[in-house]
Amino acid sequence: MSLDGILLAAHVAAALTILASLITDWIGVATLRAATTTGHAREGIKALKASAAFGVWGRLGSLAAGLALAFTAWSWEGWIIAGLLGWVVLVLLGEPLTGKDLRAMVEDARQAGPELPGPLAARIHDARLWTSVLTRTGVIGGILYCMFGKPNLLTGLAALACGYLAGLAAAKLTSRRVPSPAGAR
């Protein structure tokens, strides 16, 4: 197998890892949206922690293999640039699920009793988590369009923008106000 073939296989494996991470994020956020007790919240947080632990390797592997292929096999065509910009957007949009928000949820859940306290309820029911999952799903759709369709730069950027806007619209249409658990203020 050639070096380009190995890099392409690594790139595809990393992309599958990114998709698995997104699915795990969906599971975690859906669990958090339905959580009414600290135990349920901990289950959702556990899924997000798992996704954060292995998703980063998919993102880094995809970037490394994709950049290597761009230099060795494909050159810098428009779809590659659009895909790289999509990767950056994907990482930035994932911050609420992997960054300081997740660490704060973990700490709040660690200190909480069985009743879901107000500060933890506010964190796990934050609309930004739902918006993050939906907009990243749309952006991944745009990235996949770039990877499979190999469009020019403008079309690739339009696909990313459409994916993002579709995810944002879906988040707005499906947002719901979650009532605070009894006793949480």
Side-chain angles (χ1 to χ4, degrees), residues 103-118:
R103 289 188 295 276
M105 281 188 271
V106 168
E107 187 57 34
D108 284 353
R110 182 177 294 127
Q111 295 175 5
E115 296 291 323
L116 190 61

Side-chain angles (χ1 to χ4, degrees), residues 95-106 123 128:
E95 173 59 23
L97 300 175
T98 60
K100 67 178 183 166
D101 292 344
L102 178 59
R103 289 188 295 276
M105 281 188 271
V106 168
R123 286 191 197 284
R128 288 180 339 122

